Amino acid sequence: MGSLALLERPAMTRRRRVFPSTDPLDPEVRLTLRSELFLLAHDDETGREHLDRRSLCLGLAGTVLLELSLEQRILIGKSYVIRDGAYTHDPGRITITDPERYGDPLTDAAINLLKRTGGPTYVTDFIREFASLNLYDRVRGDLLATGVLHRTTYRRFGMLRKKDRYLAVKPDWAVRARTRLRKLPNPRNRTDPIPDFADMQSVALAALVTGLGLTRNLFHPEPAQLHARLMDMITRLYDDTTRDVQAAITPANRRHVR
């Protein structure tokens, strides 16, 4: 059993996929995992959150961890035994494989936290601690700086006090993410009931969305059925990474965020 990154070797360098790209109108442009979860967790038109902020912080901490796994900078569920010179199975354990900084403040901060003496070494501990570090504002600031969000000001109920609203620069980004998740558990064909898991970022996003209870916001005609199919797909994965992160953000663990 390997890490999430081992299921699909990304055809990209280990440098961060900076957005906007050279061609932001390209339909193949893909936002980062944290961007997609942030957009799906907010109303497209009002920018209001679909769940409480403490729960969302847990999910956002999970996205940063899964991004590190997708970029092959960490392994989840593995420990390195120096004596044997090999990795062994260790559920929930985080092992750094690439400690270098790549210029992304959030993933670099996550690596620094993992490298810190006495720092978290297991998924649940990392998510609990990283989520408590003003993570919502840090992710929102990151999305503003990279051109995913823009800020508008409005007067609430006609009062003099102004409020800020944060909306996606392009509303179809959230639409694309929802469409991918709705199609993700579909079988390859009539004779093969197993879905095709080629897009591991969508699998990671599905684990986060189901763990946070956001499936109803994917606008599927039968959200309960979609939720069950996504959960079944994640359960049948031979990789533990998504399941470890999903378990850490379930309602039973949300109380850990300070």
Side-chain angles (χ1 to χ4, degrees):
M1 299 179 69
S3 74
L4 176 63
L6 297 181
L7 289 180
E8 178 194 16
R9 297 293 184 182
M12 63 179 183
T13 66
R14 290 190 178 185
R15 292 184 178 278
R16 184 189 182 204
R17 291 175 292 173
V18 178
F19 190 88
S21 72
T22 55
D23 184 7
L25 298 180
D26 184 347
E28 298 301 320
V29 164
R30 184 71 180 270
L31 298 182
T32 59
L33 182 59
R34 78 188 72 152
S35 302
E36 292 188 324
L37 180 65
F38 192 95
L39 294 181
L40 294 183
H42 293 78
D43 185 272
D44 294 354
E45 296 182 357
T46 66
R48 291 183 179 177
E49 300 153 30
H50 290 312
L51 71 166
D52 66 278
R53 188 165 294 190
R54 292 190 303 167
S55 299
L56 181 53
C57 283
L58 282 173
L60 293 173
T63 65
V64 175
L65 200 59
L66 288 170
E67 285 174 351
L68 289 172
S69 179
L70 285 167
E71 294 175 359
Q72 305 177 39
R73 298 180 62 188
I74 63 170
L75 293 177
I76 295 178
K78 292 283 188 180
S79 290
Y80 186 74
V81 181
I82 299 177
R83 180 189 59 194
D84 301 331
Y87 289 98
T88 60
H89 183 56
D90 189 353
R93 177 85 180 199
I94 303 171
T95 300
I96 299 174
T97 58
D98 181 2
E100 298 300 320
R101 297 172 60 89
Y102 287 89
D104 170 32
L106 285 172
T107 53
D108 286 346
I111 288 290
N112 288 337
L113 179 60
L114 293 169
K115 289 166 56 179
R116 190 186 68 192
T117 302
T121 55
Y122 285 88
V123 168
T124 301
D125 296 332
F126 171 85
I127 288 180
R128 180 181 64 244
E129 187 167 350
F130 200 63
S132 67
L133 301 177
N134 197 27
L135 188 57
Y136 182 89
D137 290 336
R138 293 170 72 185
V139 171
R140 186 174 64 186
D142 175 71
L143 302 190
L144 283 168
T146 53
V148 176
L149 294 179
H150 69 96
R151 179 172 57 190
T152 60
T153 302
Y154 70 102
R155 298 184 187 278
R156 190 176 182 183
F157 304 127
M159 300 176 66
L160 295 178
R161 185 179 178 182
K162 295 182 179 180
K163 298 280 288 185
D164 288 332
R165 180 181 291 167
Y166 300 87
L167 302 175
V169 172
K170 291 186 177 296
D172 61 337
W173 289 331
V175 174
R176 293 176 189 172
R178 292 190 192 98
T179 301
R180 279 192 293 269
L181 291 187
R182 290 197 299 265
K183 292 181 178 180
L184 187 63
N186 293 339
R188 297 187 181 108
N189 52 60
R190 294 181 180 179
T191 60
D192 187 354
I194 305 300
D196 187 353
F197 299 148
D199 179 7
M200 290 312 301
Q201 179 168 319
S202 290
V203 174
L205 183 61
L208 296 162
V209 166
T210 53
L212 293 173
L214 290 170
T215 317
R216 64 185 180 277
N217 300 111
L218 299 180
F219 304 147
H220 190 274
E222 297 180 344
Q225 182 186 76
L226 176 63
H227 182 87
R229 290 169 64 191
L230 289 172
M231 288 295 294
D232 179 64
M233 178 199 72
I234 294 166
T235 300
R236 287 189 288 104
L237 279 176
Y238 59 85
D239 170 78
D240 289 337
T241 302
T242 54
R243 292 194 294 268
D244 287 342
V245 174
Q246 184 189 53
I249 66 171
T250 55
N253 292 315
R254 295 178 188 175
R255 60 184 175 83
H256 292 303
V257 181
R258 300 296 192 269

